[in-house]
Coordinates of all heavy atoms in Angstrom, one line a residue:
Chain B
F221 N 111.6 -256.0 131.6 CA 110.1 -255.9 131.3 C 109.9 -254.6 130.4 O 108.8 -254.2 130.1 CB 109.2 -255.8 132.5 CG 109.6 -254.9 133.5 CD1 109.7 -253.5 133.3 CD2 110.0 -255.4 134.8 CE1 110.1 -252.7 134.3 CE2 110.4 -254.5 135.8 CZ 110.4 -253.2 135.6
L222 N 111.0 -253.9 130.0 CA 110.9 -252.8 129.1 C 111.2 -253.3 127.7 O 112.1 -254.0 127.5 CB 111.8 -251.7 129.5 CG 111.6 -250.9 130.8 CD1 112.4 -249.7 130.9 CD2 110.1 -250.5 130.9
V223 N 110.3 -252.8 126.8 CA 110.5 -253.2 125.4 C 111.0 -252.0 124.6 O 110.4 -251.0 124.6 CB 109.2 -253.8 124.8 CG1 109.4 -254.2 123.4 CG2 108.7 -254.9 125.6
K224 N 112.1 -252.2 123.9 CA 112.6 -251.1 123.1 C 111.8 -251.1 121.7 O 111.7 -252.1 121.1 CB 114.1 -251.3 122.8 CG 114.8 -250.2 122.1 CD 116.3 -250.5 122.0 CE 117.0 -249.3 121.4 NZ 118.5 -249.5 121.6
L225 N 111.3 -250.0 121.4 CA 110.5 -249.8 120.2 C 111.4 -249.4 119.0 O 112.5 -248.9 119.2 CB 109.4 -248.8 120.4 CG 108.5 -249.1 121.6 CD1 107.5 -248.0 121.8 CD2 107.8 -250.4 121.4
D226 N 110.9 -249.6 117.8 CA 111.6 -249.2 116.6 C 111.6 -247.7 116.5 O 112.6 -247.1 116.1 CB 111.1 -249.9 115.4 CG 111.4 -251.4 115.4 OD1 112.4 -251.8 116.0 OD2 110.6 -252.2 114.7
E227 N 110.5 -247.1 116.7 CA 110.4 -245.7 116.6 C 111.2 -244.9 117.6 O 111.6 -245.5 118.7 CB 108.9 -245.2 116.7 CG 108.0 -246.2 117.3 CD 106.7 -245.6 117.8 OE1 106.4 -244.4 117.5 OE2 106.0 -246.3 118.6
K228 N 111.6 -243.7 117.2 CA 112.3 -242.8 118.1 C 111.4 -241.6 118.5 O 110.4 -241.3 117.8 CB 113.6 -242.4 117.5 CG 114.5 -243.6 117.2 CD 115.9 -243.2 117.1 CE 116.8 -244.4 117.1 NZ 118.2 -244.1 117.1
Q229 N 111.8 -241.0 119.5 CA 111.2 -239.7 119.9 C 111.1 -238.8 118.7 O 112.1 -238.6 118.0 CB 112.0 -239.1 121.0 CG 111.3 -238.2 121.9 CD 112.3 -237.7 123.0 OE1 113.5 -237.8 122.9 NE2 111.7 -237.3 124.1
T230 N 110.0 -238.1 118.5 CA 109.9 -237.1 117.5 C 109.9 -235.7 118.2 O 109.8 -235.7 119.4 CB 108.7 -237.2 116.6 OG1 107.6 -237.2 117.5 CG2 108.7 -238.5 115.8
K231 N 110.1 -234.6 117.4 CA 109.9 -233.3 118.0 C 111.0 -233.0 119.0 O 110.8 -232.2 119.9 CB 108.6 -233.1 118.6 CG 107.5 -232.6 117.6 CD 107.8 -231.2 117.2 CE 106.8 -230.7 116.2 NZ 107.2 -229.4 115.6
N232 N 112.1 -233.7 118.9 CA 113.2 -233.4 119.8 C 114.1 -232.3 119.2 O 114.2 -232.2 118.0 CB 114.0 -234.6 120.0 CG 115.0 -234.5 121.2 OD1 115.0 -233.4 121.8 ND2 115.8 -235.5 121.4
T233 N 114.6 -231.4 120.0 CA 115.5 -230.4 119.4 C 116.8 -231.0 118.9 O 117.2 -230.6 117.9 CB 115.8 -229.3 120.5 OG1 116.2 -230.0 121.7 CG2 114.7 -228.4 120.8
R234 N 117.4 -231.9 119.6 CA 118.6 -232.5 119.1 C 118.5 -233.9 118.9 O 117.5 -234.4 118.4 CB 119.7 -232.2 120.2 CG 119.9 -230.8 120.6 CD 120.4 -230.0 119.4 NE 120.3 -228.6 119.6 CZ 120.6 -227.6 118.7 NH1 121.0 -228.0 117.5 NH2 120.5 -226.4 119.0
R235 N 119.4 -234.7 119.3 CA 119.4 -236.2 119.0 C 118.2 -236.9 119.6 O 118.0 -236.8 120.8 CB 120.6 -236.9 119.5 CG 120.7 -238.3 119.3 CD 121.9 -238.9 119.9 NE 121.9 -240.4 119.8 CZ 122.8 -241.2 120.2 NH1 124.0 -240.7 120.6 NH2 122.7 -242.5 120.0
P236 N 117.3 -237.5 118.8 CA 116.1 -238.1 119.3 C 116.5 -239.4 120.1 O 117.4 -240.1 119.8 CB 115.3 -238.4 118.1 CG 116.2 -238.5 117.0 CD 117.5 -237.8 117.4
A237 N 115.7 -239.6 121.2 CA 116.0 -240.8 122.1 C 115.1 -242.0 121.7 O 114.0 -241.8 121.1 CB 115.7 -240.4 123.5
C238 N 115.6 -243.2 122.0 CA 114.8 -244.4 121.7 C 113.6 -244.4 122.7 O 113.7 -244.0 123.8 CB 115.6 -245.6 122.0 SG 116.9 -245.9 120.7
L239 N 112.5 -244.9 122.1 CA 111.3 -245.1 123.0 C 111.2 -246.5 123.5 O 111.6 -247.5 122.8 CB 110.1 -244.8 122.1 CG 109.9 -243.3 121.8 CD1 108.8 -243.1 120.7 CD2 109.7 -242.5 123.0
Y240 N 110.7 -246.6 124.7 CA 110.5 -247.9 125.3 C 109.0 -248.0 125.8 O 108.3 -246.9 125.9 CB 111.4 -248.0 126.6 CG 112.8 -248.2 126.2 CD1 113.6 -247.2 125.9 CD2 113.4 -249.5 126.2 CE1 115.0 -247.3 125.5 CE2 114.7 -249.7 125.9 CZ 115.5 -248.6 125.6 OH 116.8 -248.7 125.3
T241 N 108.6 -249.2 126.1 CA 107.2 -249.3 126.6 C 107.3 -250.4 127.7 O 108.1 -251.3 127.7 CB 106.2 -249.6 125.6 OG1 104.9 -249.3 126.2 CG2 106.2 -251.0 125.1

Side-chain angles (χ1 to χ4, degrees):
Chain B
F221 50 64
L222 290 190
V223 180
K224 187 173 184 168
L225 303 174
D226 288 335
E227 17 163 10
K228 299 201 167 184
Q229 202 177 23
T230 54
K231 272 291 174 189
N232 191 3
T233 45
R234 303 296 168 185
R235 177 178 175 179
C238 289
L239 290 172
Y240 289 80
T241 196

